[in-house]
Amino acid sequence: MTNTEKRKILQILKSADTCSVSNYYEALENIGDMKYNYGDYMITEPIDCREELKRLPEADYDLCCALLTMLLREDHFCNGSFDRRHKAGEVQPILDRMIALLADRE
């Protein structure tokens, strides 16, 4: 999949009216960027999502994918956490950075 195609999928996800965990999972899997080994990218142990998200401003594309995967996995263990984080504005900046980094690669 090209970076342009990935960017379009992420933009659609970003502009969606609803925040569906399954839509995010599906999008990351479809673009081939789900980081099943997301823990390998993290610097805290146990993983501290709040601390890890502070790394976003300097994150490369792979770390952004890992951060988004981390939030999706957090929701698996703490049902509803992804929706809360989305409403708190913690998900959109990850998508924004991913889209910007993909645009830079074109």
Side-chain angles (χ1 to χ4, degrees), residues 1 12-13 21 24 26 28 41 44-45 69:
M1 178 171 288
I12 291 168
L13 190 61
V21 171
Y24 279 79
E26 184 178 330
L28 277 181
Y41 293 84
T44 58
E45 193 173 322
T69 303

Side-chain angles (χ1 to χ4, degrees), residues 42-92:
M42 304 298 122
I43 58 173
T44 58
E45 193 173 322
I47 294 173
D48 181 337
C49 294
R50 193 173 320 277
E51 282 301 311
E52 297 294 348
L53 288 173
K54 290 178 182 177
R55 302 171 59 203
L56 183 60
E58 303 300 322
D60 65 9
Y61 184 77
D62 286 328
L63 179 55
C64 289
C65 295
L67 291 171
L68 189 52
T69 303
M70 171 190 74
L71 295 182
L72 290 168
R73 295 302 298 152
E74 177 192 38
D75 188 79
H76 175 77
F77 297 107
C78 302
N79 196 17
S81 65
F82 191 80
D83 187 50
R84 287 189 297 278
R85 287 191 183 276
H86 191 274
K87 288 177 182 174
E90 295 176 307
V91 176
Q92 291 296 90

Side-chain angles (χ1 to χ4, degrees), residues 89-105:
E90 295 176 307
V91 176
Q92 291 296 90
I94 300 171
L95 291 177
D96 290 340
R97 180 119 176 108
M98 290 171 73
I99 291 166
L101 289 167
L102 287 170
D104 288 345
R105 293 179 178 180

